Amino acid sequence: GRMCTVIKKLKASLGYLEEVRKHISRLPALDPNTRTLLLTGYPNVGKSSFMNKVTRADVDVQPYAFTTKALFVGHMDHRFLRWQVVDTPGILDRPLEERNTIEMQAITALAHLQCCVLYFLDVSEQCGYTLESQLQLFESIRPLFANKQVMIVANKTDVIPYEKLSADARARIEEVARKAGAEVVPMSNVNEENVSVLKVTACDKLLEARVDSKLSLGKVKDDVLSRITVAQPKARDNATRGVSIPASVAARSSAMAVSSGGSDRVTEKQLMWNNGGPGVY
């Protein structure tokens, strides 16, 4: 009877744990150490189209169930390195205060990836969200990416070129970017303007940041000794132990020096002539 009471008390917690277990089992195989580009922004701003342009979409991009949401993981190569591109529909596309606990856990897990965050803005507002509300979403999720490389992608420039935006709109985008330490890149998936520029810039920013963090931790140095381990034996006593060459080795090396005409090094050719010549040795 007591056991039943305990189980009833724990019922809510066990139910919650089961929900978490289901979520974790559905998550895609994200490698947290692989160089990653994380695509964020409101729905229909062009994240998936960009992903299909830069990744091997026909092979690697698959939808993974995330309750009613999905996570898309694609792979690409840059500078002979493998990269993963993560699209986050339903996860990082509305303000954090509208989240439940499990969704927040998924979001914080994404925030721990070693990644460069690409925030997509639809400057044409065709996605159904105003430019201002898109910038507010960026400011809402920005604290998650405090120590990360962040880029703001002014997308859909085929509909309205970035230069044709009102001066106020451009100033607002650039002010938000400046506060976040982010770079603004105008782009279009339709005419492919700056698609490869964005990919290269984002990847190189992340590579630079990774090298800088290793340098600051002292993991990378210019000298060769930092790349190899040199074991230095510690002295057990005060006795001096000089170089010791066994007599047999000394006798053999002096015999070889005589046979090779006094030079220290015996070549293969010399050995051949000393041992019967071509066809015999």
Side-chain angles (χ1 to χ4, degrees), residues 250-272:
R252 190 172 161 208
S253 61
S254 62
M256 283 176 82
V258 169
S259 69
S260 64
S263 72
D264 292 333
R265 184 166 163 272
V266 183
T267 62
E268 199 66 33
K269 192 173 184 180
Q270 188 68 50
L271 282 170
M272 180 182 74

Side-chain angles (χ1 to χ4, degrees), residues 33-167:
N33 301 310
T34 297
R35 304 152 201 86
T36 304
L37 301 183
L38 190 67
L39 313 184
T40 63
Y42 270 116
N44 308 319
V45 291
K47 304 190 293 286
S48 304
S49 305
F50 172 75
M51 188 170 187
N52 290 338
K53 295 273 180 207
V54 297
T55 66
R56 298 186 284 273
D58 53 331
V59 180
D60 263 314
V61 178
Q62 303 158 31
Y64 293 89
F66 199 92
T67 57
T68 57
K69 321 289 190 289
L71 256 189
F72 294 88
V73 182
H75 294 98
M76 66 179 193
D77 295 310
H78 173 68
R79 295 196 189 279
F80 306 107
L81 298 167
R82 187 171 168 81
W83 296 70
Q84 61 189 4
V85 184
V86 182
D87 185 9
T88 58
I91 300 172
L92 288 167
D93 62 1
R94 61 180 204 275
L96 298 181
E97 55 270 18
E98 295 176 22
R99 304 302 181 165
N100 64 35
T101 318
I102 295 175
E103 283 179 329
M104 276 307 295
Q105 285 181 335
I107 290 167
T108 40
L110 286 175
H112 281 95
L113 288 173
Q114 290 197 350
C115 62
C116 177
V117 181
L118 306 184
Y119 185 82
F120 280 70
L121 282 177
D122 177 354
V123 293
S124 70
E125 301 184 344
Q126 284 182 343
C127 62
Y129 299 92
T130 64
L131 193 55
E132 184 53 40
S133 63
Q134 293 180 65
L135 289 167
Q136 281 171 2
L137 173 65
F138 175 76
E139 288 176 322
S140 154
I141 64 174
R142 173 70 189 117
L144 285 171
F145 307 119
N147 303 315
K148 293 201 172 16
Q149 308 308 302
V150 179
M151 298 187 74
I152 292 180
V153 184
N155 196 24
K156 304 200 184 175
T157 53
D158 54 289
V159 181
I160 173 166
Y162 187 68
E163 308 73 51
K164 299 258 175 84
L165 284 173
S166 72

Side-chain angles (χ1 to χ4, degrees), residues 169-195:
R170 284 207 309 274
R172 176 84 176 104
I173 293 170
E174 276 146 29
E175 180 206 359
V176 168
R178 194 179 62 254
K179 279 186 194 162
E183 191 175 331
V184 180
V185 177
M187 194 193 80
S188 164
N189 286 311
V190 176
N191 58 28
E192 301 202 355
E193 179 202 353
N194 282 352
V195 168

Side-chain angles (χ1 to χ4, degrees), residues 18-46:
E18 177 59 16
E19 283 301 303
V20 172
R21 187 195 66 77
K22 281 181 193 164
H23 262 74
I24 289 170
S25 67
R26 287 193 199 105
L27 276 172
L30 282 180
D31 180 351
N33 301 310
T34 297
R35 304 152 201 86
T36 304
L37 301 183
L38 190 67
L39 313 184
T40 63
Y42 270 116
N44 308 319
V45 291

